[in-house]
Amino acid sequence: MEKKLNEFSVGESGVIKAVVGEGKIRRRLFDMGVTPGAEVYLRKVAPLGDPIEVTIRGYELTLRRTEAEAVVMEIKQ
Amino acid sequence: MKKFALAGNPNCGKTTLFNNLTGSTAHVGNWPGVTVDKREGTYKKLNEPISIVDLPGIYSLSPYTPEEVISRNFILDEKPDCVINIIDATNLERNLYLTTQIMEIDVPVVIALNMMDEVEKNGDKIDVDQLSKKIGLPVVAISALKEKGLDELMKQAYAASLSKREGATVLEGTKLMHLINDCKIGLKHSGVDNALFHAVKLAELDELEVAAHPDSAKMVEEFKATFKDDVFGADFEAIVADARYKYISKNYSHALTKRDKGKDKVTKSDKADKVLTHRIWGIPIFLVILFFVFHLTFSEDLFYLGKMGVFDKAEEEAVQEEEVEYDSAIEEFCDGVTVESFFGLEEGFYSPGVFLQSTLGVFTDLIGACLSQALANAAPWVSGIIVDGIWAGLASVLSFLPQILLLFLFFSILEDSGYMARVAFILDRIFRRFGLSGRAFMPMIMGFGCSIPAMINTRTLADQNERTATIRVIPFFSCGAKLPILTAIAGGIVTLLGMGNADLITYGMYLLGVVVAIAAVILMRSTTMRGEVPPFIMELPAYHAPQFKNLMLHLWDKTKHFIKKAFTIILASTIFIWFVSHFSWNWQYLEDEQINNSILAGIGGLIQPLFTPLGFGSQLGINGWVFVVAAVTGLIAKENVIATFGTLGACLAGAVIDVEVDGGIAAVSAMIAGTGIHVPGLLAFIAFNMLTIPCFAAVATAKAELPNKKSFRMTLLFWVVTSYLVSCMIYLIGTWWWTVFIFAALWAAAITCIVLYNKGKIDFNKLKIAKKKE
């Protein structure tokens, strides 16, 4: 099943299928290891509902929901 | 001397390694091009001394943040003899991503696998030889913290530096390799160094490369037009990043054996995190921590024990002050020192910050007393310039050092422990409303301590507009040196009115600064600094206990900086101020009482009318220039304002006033009595000093950190205009309350104009696009 990362709820995990969009933000996501094939686990949501914290490639990364929207996830059944 | 560069991700232990390699030889140096302090030190345990350069922490060599550009340019242009790539072994995968980029440059590279002890503690294993073989570079396991493996690392790096190394890439075998090779050959022909690195970046259509090699870029574009990939289309950037990570995971799985899946493990760090970033308690906990930091630094009544009545000794001890004739200044000094001057037992315990400050104050007083005794028989102007001019000025500056350092210590602890990153995480939502990211929080809150490190800290912001806007509002977060101005004048106001609460005025002014900062940011982001809200994609490092040694080194750095400032700019300015306030236009030495004839009074009187709309200008009559002069000396260092109050207040009152006794309240009272200034004028004066051009050192820092001269000049103008307008508003509304309606109307009109203009702009763009489509 396909889902965007910003639609994840806490505790959900999946594998990145694609990173859409372009420019700086996308490049930054790549540099931080958000590339297709990487496993992502949504750990936490900030007190005010945004940003979110995920575990990826063995470390903790925080990003906003608007930026997470660019990450298309494949959820294991 | 051979030069080795340290490169690696932020937070991988680079600074610790640097400090341990170089000992205390580190110094801050400026590099050509971008003024950023990269630190340089010397390693002396090899046959020849090695210069070690600590580059900023980076995730990639792409051109999107100033740190990345600096590191990239350093490695490419300065051609170090060896690059030591530090890798956090607990986070091998992401750290190696940078390695795959560095290894493309024609420079010897040695990998320092740091935090191996952590890995072993977790029960995981990394096969160092295996990793070295796969990546084709020497790998040395070290622990920067425990100083293990450092000699071996340097030996390997030295050995590597003796031979040349050709760049190698992990992109071999990808569909792009053909293009990269073509670009490389083309670049080599035109005599470009590091052809492979540039070729790969060209293939990614990296901004800097395309600008530097337009011919080759054309080739890439042509290739791109015919290229087709099933997964990525013609998205070369994605293909390259993906290939790097694929290569890493392929080789890294061989080298690393994990005991179990990390996801399910609950570490101490996780437990702490659960509490500190809790959905409900996260923000309250943050506010409490912040309160304690400031309370421990600035409070004169620790934990409010005094207010709670712990120290109520009834007024039995209201000792009658006797007039005593002292034989010497030292005797007078000794009589004044009591237990209270250290601990402040009268109304409660001092906080550690105030305790340190008062202790230092006792010592500086002692030296002052010694000086004035030693010079008792010298000419009055000699003892005047040394005791009142030089020493009093230096002492007043040094007296802030303990509190500033303590504040730094607390912030370093919070930063080192990993909590600051969580604060950014918690607060991002709020900051986004103002068009900033959660990261802007850190420099702003540091501004309460000192604007200089706060401005330097803005380098962590990726977006230039966000950086400029943040640097501009940092001085509005009232710094440690401005606090005495607030307390002195607030105290003066309370004395003048015979009622009120000085604390309330101080807090109110802090709040005013924050409100003005927010308003200014919103205004800038919707007018001159328009742009998208900068992204917030950030690593949250694992929590760990701060390292004592690191903290101390950090503090020592700050101390050195501060003392240097005290002995250069401030020393020069105090001498200057003393000189112009004690000499008349015809070079006659003046006693303190004759200050109205001084050069300073003349100049002050000349510019005095400018400040009439702010309530401390011409309406104050003949002595009115004192406020103007105090504000002007504040442009050199804010500590000067209160020091000037001391000098000038004493002259007006015709008596000696020691600023350090009551924090300048008596001096302010004398100035109020001498000029007849009203409360709105005083409030406007505080506001003006808080919001106007900060101290000399901060201005110099802003100049270095801002992108160009134009934005620096605009920043100066912005400070002057903001402080003038806000103070003017305070004075006018405070004097004639009904003017509030005029200001409200003006603001409403301005905001409506901006909103309409911005809306119009969007519509205008739409029109343009529509026209193009036709």
Side-chain angles (χ1 to χ4, degrees), chain A residues 10-14 17-68 76, chain B residues 59-60 62 64-65 68 90-91 93-94 97 101 201 204 207 232 235 237-238 241-242 245 249 261 263 270 273-274 277-280 282-283 422 424-430 432 436-439 462-463 533-541:
Chain A
V10 175
E12 242 180 301
S13 61
K17 202 175 170 203
V19 181
V20 298
E22 55 185 294
K24 270 187 198 188
I25 294 182
R26 185 154 176 268
R27 174 77 213 199
R28 178 99 181 137
L29 286 170
F30 285 156
D31 289 345
M32 301 302 283
V34 184
T35 58
E39 253 185 74
V40 176
Y41 165 77
L42 187 78
R43 274 173 70 94
K44 207 183 332 171
V45 172
L48 298 168
D50 197 12
I52 56 172
E53 181 183 338
V54 298
T55 304
I56 183 168
R57 298 187 188 274
Y59 81 101
E60 315 304 326
L61 178 76
T62 168
L63 67 168
R64 288 185 187 141
R65 286 184 186 277
T66 47
E67 287 140 10
K76 285 176 281 183
Chain B
Y59 293 106
S60 159
S62 63
Y64 290 126
T65 66
E68 285 169 355
T90 60
N91 193 350
E93 213 175 338
R94 204 206 52 226
Y97 179 74
Q101 296 184 43
K201 291 288 165 205
E204 289 181 281
E207 283 172 6
F232 298 106
D235 185 355
E237 228 179 337
D242 182 62
Y245 272 110
S249 27
K261 282 261 171 189
K263 205 159 64 186
D270 294 337
D273 196 51
K274 268 230 161 87
T277 58
H278 190 271
R279 278 208 80 156
I280 296 162
I283 292 177
R422 266 74 185 189
F425 172 70
I426 293 173
L427 296 180
D428 179 66
R429 191 68 231 275
I430 301 171
R432 193 173 348 158
L436 303 173
S437 75
R439 290 195 216 196
D463 181 89
V533 175
F536 185 69
I537 304 168
M538 197 176 78
E539 179 188 1
L540 293 176

Side-chain angles (χ1 to χ4, degrees), chain B residues 15-91:
Chain B
T15 310
T16 316
L17 177 65
F18 176 76
N19 286 338
N20 285 337
L21 285 179
T22 60
S24 56
T25 62
H27 68 264
V28 175
N30 279 338
W31 258 254
V34 198
T35 5
V36 163
D37 36 292
K38 265 169 295 181
R39 304 195 306 156
E40 190 175 356
T42 319
Y43 179 77
K44 290 173 181 155
K45 289 189 196 158
L46 286 173
N47 295 335
E48 57 173 310
I50 308 279
S51 160
I52 309 266
V53 179
D54 190 17
L55 297 175
I58 47 169
Y59 293 106
S60 159
L61 291 175
S62 63
Y64 290 126
T65 66
E67 289 99 336
E68 285 169 355
V69 177
I70 291 159
S71 302
R72 172 169 160 162
N73 289 348
F74 183 84
I75 301 175
L76 289 177
D77 303 338
E78 305 274 321
K79 298 193 176 63
D81 297 286
C82 182
V83 173
I84 299 175
N85 178 205
I86 300 125
I87 284 178
D88 176 356
T90 60
N91 193 350

Side-chain angles (χ1 to χ4, degrees), chain B residues 392-393 396-397 574 633 638-649 659:
Chain B
S396 69
V397 178
T574 40
T633 59
K638 294 295 164 205
E639 294 90 336
N640 278 347
V641 174
I642 221 69
T644 312
F645 274 9
T647 320
L648 302 182
V659 181

Side-chain angles (χ1 to χ4, degrees), chain B residues 566-629:
Chain B
F567 280 92
T568 49
I569 300 169
I570 297 171
L571 181 62
S573 66
T574 40
I575 294 175
F576 177 75
I577 294 293
W578 187 89
F579 191 81
V580 290
S581 60
H582 284 81
F583 279 87
S584 65
W585 287 104
N586 43 21
W587 305 113
Q588 203 78 49
Y589 174 70
L590 301 170
E591 288 297 325
D592 283 351
E593 296 76 40
Q594 302 161 299
I595 195 162
N596 264 345
N597 303 323
S598 67
I599 300 176
L600 191 61
I603 298 171
L606 214 61
I607 53 172
Q608 194 178 345
L610 284 178
F611 294 89
T612 308
L614 310 188
F616 52 96
S618 300
Q619 62 267 67
L620 299 184
I622 183 155
N623 290 328
W625 58 272
V626 286
F627 283 100
V628 175
V629 167

